[in-house]
Amino acid sequence: MGQQENVATSLAGAVAEEISASLAPVDAELARRYPGDPGTRQPVHTVYVPGDAFAADTVRSWGDRALAALDEHAPDAASFAAVLGLADELAEPVYSRVRAKLGREPIEDLRVDFEDGYGPRPDAEEDETAARAARLVAEAYEKGTAAPYTGIRMKCMEAAVRDRGIRTLDVFLTGLMAAGGLPDGLVLTLPKVTYAEQVSAFVRLLEAFEKAHALDAGRLRFEIQIETSQAVLATDGTATVARMIQAAEGRATGLHYGTFDYSACLGVSAAYQASDHPAADHAKAVMQVAAAGTGVRVSDGSTNVLPVGPAEQVHAAWRLHYGLTRRALARAYYQGWDMHPGHLPTRYAAVFAFYREGFEQAADRLARYAGRAGGDVLDEPATAKALGGYLLRGLDCGALDLAEVTERTGLSRAGLEGFAAPRRGDLTASAR
């Protein structure tokens, strides 16, 4: 060990105590506003189905139609890989996992749409459709056939449709309660938010429903759709979306970018409205920074180019969707929207390829970090957190298997979670 060092200090203990006391409000504020990621599964996509088109077999129907598209336009791993430009070593693992996913769990997150996809209808018709949706969702959860996450997108809180949106939400939630209660995977989506006050009003609405049914406070949570310029930048130049997260009072679970409404709001012509437009990149970057550390997750939007028609047209649409999804993943947008069953093969192909091609390097880096073995990359606690999160996301969606991850890292799922979601103090202390 060598000569023992003489450790001396100059400051009295009272100095540290005084500083800690002065920062106690800041510590509490950090803990309240930035609790970190919840550590739960985030779906890789959200599928929107108009309320009148939603049926008991919607999840299975989408999976079957997606498999049929593969059978017709890419019947084997080699042909699918050729369309998307997959590396040879990824072709079979990705293709087989895509087909298995479409058979097992074709939709991870389903939203019954009462907004743009449904449009204005007579009140009696929307009432009946909302009640029917509640019944079908409850039955699906009871039978085990529901998507892991399911809910509705109501109409927004703007004056023209506010009452209708509130009533539809009430009918849907009341129907779920009558059918046995709210399912664990329930998700609500509030669209076209422009002011934080609209978020606050929605919180009051959910509070009222919880009190009416003696539910735990905070049981109802929701996503905020960012579809207008006012939702990103306020008139005073500040980030409105950050205000919205705080206005949600801990109930916000996600921020969803609305590709086409937002683009149109900025005057982008129809031919250039896409999730990779510079205006879209700016909006999502602001959303991402505003949400970082808050536990609110960011979702990309969708493409409106559908994989339909002759094989050449389908393949072109697949390549576009695959490329946009891979681009989003690289930018840490781990969720997006899918608007057609034909998008499912390339959604899962992009996601699975993303996690499988980086699996070995990520697993080896985390194993070296966990074992303090060093290597050619000097990783820090924050990087270990990212590596653990990467592997967990791959496990959750089906891109990776726990056995192969454990064999490569030496870590159980609980071990991965320990790296992916350290407490704030743990991360700070281990970085010293």
Side-chain angles (χ1 to χ4, degrees):
M1 290 288 293
Q3 182 178 351
Q4 186 173 359
E5 296 292 337
N6 180 37
V7 178
T9 62
S10 302
L11 300 176
V15 174
E17 292 175 4
E18 182 181 345
I19 289 175
S20 292
S22 70
L23 289 176
V26 173
D27 295 338
E29 187 78 348
L30 280 170
R32 183 178 72 84
R33 292 186 183 273
Y34 300 101
D37 189 87
T40 55
R41 175 183 179 183
Q42 180 180 10
V44 302
H45 69 170
T46 300
V47 164
Y48 282 83
V49 177
D52 57 329
F54 176 59
D57 66 344
T58 290
V59 173
R60 185 64 266 147
S61 173
W62 273 57
D64 291 343
R65 291 168 64 187
L67 285 168
L70 280 177
D71 290 339
E72 181 177 358
H73 300 293
D76 52 49
S79 58
F80 195 46
V83 172
L84 302 181
L86 291 173
D88 292 343
E89 63 271 19
L90 287 176
E92 181 55 42
V94 167
Y95 189 75
S96 61
R97 285 173 185 270
V98 168
R99 294 196 68 97
K101 180 76 170 181
L102 294 174
R104 179 184 73 253
E105 188 183 73
I107 296 176
E108 291 195 356
D109 185 26
L110 176 65
R111 207 69 71 249
V112 185
D113 191 14
F114 287 90
E115 205 230 355
D116 285 349
Y118 185 73
R121 307 287 180 99
D123 284 339
E125 181 180 346
E126 185 160 340
D127 281 351
E128 184 176 353
T129 304
R132 174 177 169 274
R135 175 177 59 81
L136 292 177
V137 168
E139 290 175 356
Y141 273 103
E142 184 178 356
K143 296 176 181 177
T145 59
Y149 300 93
T150 305
I152 67 167
R153 177 171 70 169
M154 56 181 277
K155 290 177 173 63
C156 70
M157 297 296 282
E158 292 179 354
V161 294
R162 182 185 303 141
D163 289 346
R164 181 62 260 180
I166 291 172
R167 181 172 175 83
T168 296
L169 179 68
D170 189 7
V171 170
F172 178 74
L173 293 178
T174 301
L176 288 178
M177 292 300 297
L182 305 180
D184 290 338
L186 176 67
V187 186
L188 307 175
T189 304
L190 180 64
K192 293 183 176 58
V193 182
T194 53
Y195 280 77
E197 288 81 358
Q198 293 169 327
V199 175
S200 296
F202 196 61
V203 170
R204 303 286 87 78
L205 177 64
L206 299 183
E207 286 177 341
F209 189 89
E210 289 167 350
K211 290 177 181 177
H213 290 272
L215 296 172
D216 291 341
R219 171 63 181 86
L220 292 167
R221 305 183 73 192
F222 61 98
E223 304 163 335
I224 303 170
Q225 277 198 265
I226 306 301
E227 302 176 88
T228 66
S229 61
Q230 298 94 332
V232 174
L233 200 66
T235 53
D236 62 0
T238 58
T240 317
V241 64
R243 298 179 186 175
M244 292 178 181
I245 292 173
Q246 297 307 313
E249 300 178 22
R251 293 177 184 264
T253 59
L255 302 174
H256 284 229
Y257 175 68
T259 305
F260 304 102
D261 281 288
Y262 187 83
S263 298
C265 183
L266 267 62
V268 179
S269 61
Y272 297 98
Q273 293 178 357
S275 61
D276 59 351
H277 190 281
D281 285 341
H282 171 262
K284 286 179 286 188
V286 174
M287 292 162 58
Q288 190 173 46
V289 174
T294 65
V296 178
R297 290 158 166 172
V298 175
S299 173
D300 200 0
S302 64
T303 176
N304 59 358
V305 179
L306 304 183
V308 296
E312 181 178 354
Q313 188 170 322
V314 170
H315 290 173
W318 273 353
R319 281 190 291 270
L320 173 65
H321 186 243
Y322 178 87
L324 290 173
T325 303
R326 286 301 306 264
R327 183 181 189 274
L329 289 168
R331 286 158 174 76
Y333 308 133
Y334 299 113
Q335 186 175 354
W337 299 4
D338 289 326
M339 310 302 289
H340 188 274
H343 286 143
L344 299 186
T346 39
R347 170 67 62 182
Y348 292 123
V351 170
F352 293 168
F354 177 76
Y355 290 110
R356 292 213 64 81
E357 69 184 19
F359 161 58
E360 293 184 359
Q361 183 186 50
D364 290 348
R365 285 177 67 179
L366 188 58
R368 288 195 298 268
Y369 181 87
R372 300 182 181 277
D376 59 351
V377 179
L378 183 61
D379 285 326
E380 297 185 354
T383 306
K385 178 180 179 180
L387 292 168
Y390 174 88
L391 295 173
L392 284 171
R393 289 179 183 278
L395 287 171
D396 286 342
C397 69
L400 306 175
D401 298 323
L402 183 58
E404 65 179 339
V405 174
T406 299
E407 181 180 3
R408 194 97 190 182
T409 63
L411 298 169
S412 64
R413 183 179 178 100
L416 292 172
E417 290 171 346
F419 283 107
R423 292 172 297 179
R424 177 180 296 276
D426 294 341
L427 185 62
T428 305
S430 59
R432 294 184 183 128

